[in-house]
Amino acid sequence: MINPNVYYKEQLEQHIHTVSQLKKQLTTLSLLRLLVFVATGFAIYLSFNTWQVATVIGILGLVLFLVLLSKYTDVKAKRNLHQALVSINEEELKIASGDFHDRADGTSFQDPLHFYSLDIDLFGRGSFFQFTNRTATKEGASVFAKALTANNTEAIVNRQNAIIDLSKKPEWRQQFSAIASLIKVETPARVITKWLQSHNSFLPTFIKWLPLAFTLVSVLVFTLIIFSVVSPFVLLCWLLLGLGITGRYVKKINTLATNTSDIKDTFKQYSQLLNEIEKEAFTSEVLKNKQKQIQSEQKTASSIFKLFSQHIDALDNRNNVLSAIFGNGLFLWDIKQAYNIERWIETYKDTVNDWFEVVSFFDAYNSLGNYAFNHPQFVFPEISTEKAIIKADDLGHPLLNATKRVDSDLLINNQEFFIVTGANMAGKSTFLRTVSLHIVMSNVGLPVCAKKSTYSPVKLITSMRTSDSLTDDSSYFFSELTRLKFIVDTIQKEPYFIILDEILKGTNSTDKAIGSRKFVEKLVASNATGIIATHDLSLCEIEQELEDVKNYYFDAEIINDELHFDYTLKHGICQNMNASFLLKKMEIV
């Protein structure tokens, strides 16, 4: 079993060393480029009287300079990649130490009307999303959030296999994430897809051959000038003609260049991400099926994306004044590249979105595989159809420090309802979130914080928090009633695991006790399964009347005038409450 922290430290050292070596190479290449530039200029100066020799020297110097520039660009790209890998491993070690509260918290994905996303610290500061998310793209983050909120109980084993598959590929996952993180200006896939779908081609089909024909004539004219067959004035006229032809389309080409320039980096990086997916060998059916979505008989999706990026790069050369004048005047460069871009759009605009979705899927599942890799001590639940909904040994909250966390065994069968009582701060709410996360993580396909777990898939629905925007008592109470009505209506359609925390807080204690009792009785009569935490001990009397109701509690003790908690789930009813003690201890009363 690989120790994640040891692995990250080793990787960090390796990539830091590689970055150092690449920086030295960049310095050497920069000096060589400067040397070639100076040497070429000096050689041209010495042979200036023989223009043919000077021209050859200039061309050779330019070629060598461009070769060195290309090599410099490649090495710089490698350095940037390894710097990204350094950051990834530094971040993993930082998160493992408990320092992750400055990361994106996914608050935008929080929905008060969702089955559970507001209640169980799935999003927000210190949330499961903030701790687990490693996505490098906006689209990937969205897919990851959807996976956490899907409430999907189908094909869990398939998702488990996909996560296990990726968990065994830490190098691949880091390489993928590093490449994705280098996207400087990420245009959302939906924006790109919408633009591609709406683009109207403006260059006619026949113009495909015009740049080639124009280039051949330009070469011919240049050759004739060298051999003094025609005057250089002919070349000037030909240049003006080319500029005139290009000028006819210049406004539309400008618009096309602006639109494509915004997405160039995205396509360049996505081509590399697609290539990483294409060349990797996966074992799980889910991942292999995703691979098939980007495979075709003729070209790979990565090569198609790369080609589009190259066309955009070529069109961007128009930003250089000399390239714009001579490239368009002699070779119709802008027309050629604009035509290539438009033909690409015509051919692939209907399939681009599918390829984007595959990249986003792997970006999201990388986070899930990474989570499994980071927690080798956790277990994948055994999926069962037996009576037990959850049968877990040493079940704990996955975000709590393992050295301080207190775990509990849990067995709750189908159509059983637990009433959990306990003193303030004894662990009731944490227990509810622990059970909730067990269900959510199991449905996603993740390993859970337990030594052993058997799980019969069920959807989750909760009522633990009320929207903070409702501040007055009547609105607060009405919000609670609305949520409870939502739960009652929802469980009539299909089974759900219900988790409630201190319901009907917006009314007086007597009314609350009566209402809570009737609500729990209704849930039990509906054959519901779930847990309710409460301070109302009178609610525990239901256990004597209904066989499917069981009482559990978290205890608190006062020892030597100090409050002690063991945070252990026990069968029975809590007898020790601590509000009065705390008020006195803190000198409030």
Side-chain angles (χ1 to χ4, degrees), residues 31-85:
L31 292 174
L32 286 174
R33 282 161 52 206
L34 178 61
L35 181 62
V36 167
F37 179 80
V38 173
T40 301
F42 186 67
I44 291 174
Y45 172 77
L46 293 178
S47 58
F48 193 74
N49 292 332
T50 310
W51 71 270
Q52 293 91 342
V53 175
T55 301
V56 171
I57 291 173
I59 292 173
L60 291 175
L62 178 62
V63 170
L64 183 56
F65 183 87
L66 292 176
V67 169
L68 290 172
L69 179 61
S70 176
K71 179 67 174 175
Y72 179 90
T73 302
D74 291 341
V75 174
K76 184 178 179 181
K78 289 181 181 179
R79 184 207 61 186
N80 291 343
L81 180 64
H82 283 278
Q83 283 181 333
L85 288 165

Side-chain angles (χ1 to χ4, degrees), residues 498-513:
I498 305 165
I499 291 187
L500 310 170
D501 190 7
E502 207 64 55
I503 62 171
L504 303 179
K505 295 182 286 291
T507 187
N508 64 71
S509 57
T510 302
D511 198 27
K512 172 187 171 183

Side-chain angles (χ1 to χ4, degrees), residues 359-535:
V359 171
S360 300
F361 173 88
F362 274 93
D363 192 24
Y365 263 67
N366 258 4
S367 291
L368 302 177
N370 189 76
Y371 183 85
F373 176 80
N374 284 348
H375 299 87
Q377 73 278 20
F378 289 2
V379 297
F380 286 89
E382 178 185 344
I383 304 304
S384 171
T385 56
E386 296 180 359
K387 185 178 181 182
I389 296 294
I390 300 174
K391 183 180 180 182
D393 296 343
D394 291 339
L395 177 64
H397 195 292
L399 299 188
L400 293 180
N401 189 313
T403 61
K404 300 177 181 179
R405 187 183 68 228
V406 177
D407 302 330
S408 296
D409 294 342
L410 174 65
L411 171 60
I412 182 166
N413 293 313
N414 187 34
Q415 298 182 13
E416 283 187 343
F417 214 91
F418 286 6
I419 298 175
V420 179
T421 53
N424 292 299
M425 303 184 298
K428 298 191 304 300
S429 295
T430 298
F431 173 71
L432 296 186
R433 289 177 175 82
T434 299
V435 176
S436 298
L437 279 175
H438 179 287
I439 295 172
V440 171
M441 293 167 67
S442 298
N443 289 343
V444 171
L446 285 168
V448 297
C449 180
K451 286 187 177 179
K452 184 178 180 181
S453 173
T454 302
Y455 172 63
S456 182
V458 64
K459 294 183 178 182
L460 175 68
I461 193 167
T462 64
S463 179
M464 300 169 68
R465 288 179 177 143
T466 303
S467 175
D468 292 336
S469 63
L470 302 175
T471 55
D472 61 277
D473 287 343
S474 61
S475 294
Y476 185 93
F477 186 55
F478 181 76
S479 178
E480 277 197 295
L481 293 179
T482 302
R483 184 66 178 181
L484 297 180
K485 178 68 164 59
F486 170 68
I487 291 174
V488 169
D489 292 343
T490 301
I491 64 174
Q492 303 304 315
K493 302 171 186 176
E494 58 181 316
Y496 279 79
F497 194 101
I498 305 165
I499 291 187
L500 310 170
D501 190 7
E502 207 64 55
I503 62 171
L504 303 179
K505 295 182 286 291
T507 187
N508 64 71
S509 57
T510 302
D511 198 27
K512 172 187 171 183
I514 296 172
S516 297
R517 181 186 181 101
K518 289 183 177 179
F519 186 71
V520 172
E521 288 174 345
K522 179 175 180 61
L523 293 179
V524 174
S526 301
N527 298 320
T529 306
I531 304 173
I532 181 172
T534 182
H535 286 97

Side-chain angles (χ1 to χ4, degrees), residues 270-283:
Y270 269 63
S271 71
Q272 295 181 50
L273 295 175
L274 288 165
N275 183 55
E276 291 296 318
I277 296 168
E278 290 162 351
K279 69 183 184 182
E280 185 62 25
F282 298 108
T283 58

